[in-house]
Amino acid sequence: MKCPVCQQAMVEKDFGGVKVDVCENGCKGIWFDWFELSKLDEQGEGLGEALREALNYPRENTENRGKIKCPKCGVPMHIHKYKSAKEVNVDECYSCAGFFLDSGELRSIRDSFMSEEEEKKYLDSLLADMPEYNQALADQEKERERAAALLNYTRFMRLSYFIKGK
Ligand SMILES: [Zn+2]
Ligand SMILES: [Zn+2]
């Protein structure tokens, strides 16, 4: 799969049982899949080296690079933008359930701890932010799956959650 930002071939990595694609030779962005994310267990077992490595990727993307197209299905991805102290923008494809995260975004989260309260707020804003073009989400089942995946995604962002107990 090619990186949606810089078009380099992405490398598949295993983040503790969750497969992600990392733009290792390019912008260091990370591609997640909802259904992969929903495999993250409560303990986040094994989420180790690959994640640590990803955390050290520098910010190489411009902050306002605009919309990107989904590397899987080619449709424009929806950008979730939030104004908060720990701003992290995420691009989400509502067609195939993928997320794209710029490398620097992960790093800025590592540098600033997200509390449980902040995590909840962030999750709520993600859940509330739905584009109207997405008809698939009218489907209750899909919406439920999305909510579960977003919860895992948000947990993933709260990195202390995984790093503690190591
Ligand atoms: Zn890239
Ligand atoms: Zn897609």
Side-chain angles (χ1 to χ4, degrees), residues 146-163:
R146 177 176 185 261
L150 284 174
L151 177 64
N152 274 331
Y153 162 76
T154 316
R155 280 185 178 147
F156 177 79
M157 297 311 295
R158 192 157 62 91
L159 296 165
S160 56
Y161 179 85
F162 294 104
I163 289 166

Side-chain angles (χ1 to χ4, degrees), residues 3 6 23 27:
C3 173
C6 69
C23 183
C27 68

Side-chain angles (χ1 to χ4, degrees), residues 10-145:
M10 298 187 85
V11 180
E12 191 174 279
K13 295 234 172 191
D14 191 318
F15 279 18
V18 177
K19 288 194 175 56
V20 301
D21 291 281
V22 179
C23 183
E24 212 166 43
N25 304 310
C27 68
K28 318 290 187 196
I30 300 176
W31 174 266
F32 298 92
D33 185 288
W34 280 0
F35 306 108
E36 281 293 326
L37 271 180
S38 50
K39 289 186 198 163
L40 273 181
D41 63 22
E42 284 289 313
Q43 306 306 318
E45 270 177 36
L47 204 79
E49 283 314 303
L51 176 58
R52 257 175 254 268
E53 196 183 312
L55 283 175
N56 287 320
Y57 294 152
R59 179 181 273 282
E60 293 190 13
N61 300 318
T62 53
E63 259 169 82
N64 298 304
R65 59 162 160 64
K67 283 211 175 199
I68 53 177
K69 282 189 179 167
C70 174
K72 280 194 176 156
C73 36
V75 302
M77 293 179 75
H78 180 76
I79 306 175
H80 297 282
K81 271 193 183 292
Y82 302 106
K83 296 277 171 261
S84 80
K86 290 159 188 156
E87 190 162 343
V88 178
N89 300 326
V90 57
D91 298 86
E92 182 177 0
C93 175
Y94 287 90
S95 174
C96 71
F99 293 98
F100 187 81
L101 194 66
D102 291 319
S103 63
E105 290 168 348
L106 255 186
R107 188 178 190 164
S108 59
I109 286 298
R110 180 198 60 170
D111 291 344
S112 51
F113 175 77
M114 197 187 276
S115 69
E116 252 175 79
E117 200 182 317
E118 287 166 324
E119 178 193 331
K120 193 180 176 303
K121 227 173 114 196
Y122 181 59
L123 177 62
D124 287 346
S125 60
L126 277 176
L127 290 171
D129 189 16
M130 284 237 233
E132 41 308 301
Y133 66 75
N134 179 31
Q135 303 203 334
L137 283 182
D139 178 340
Q140 289 288 316
E141 179 64 14
K142 263 206 161 173
E143 192 166 343
R144 199 187 52 75
E145 280 176 2

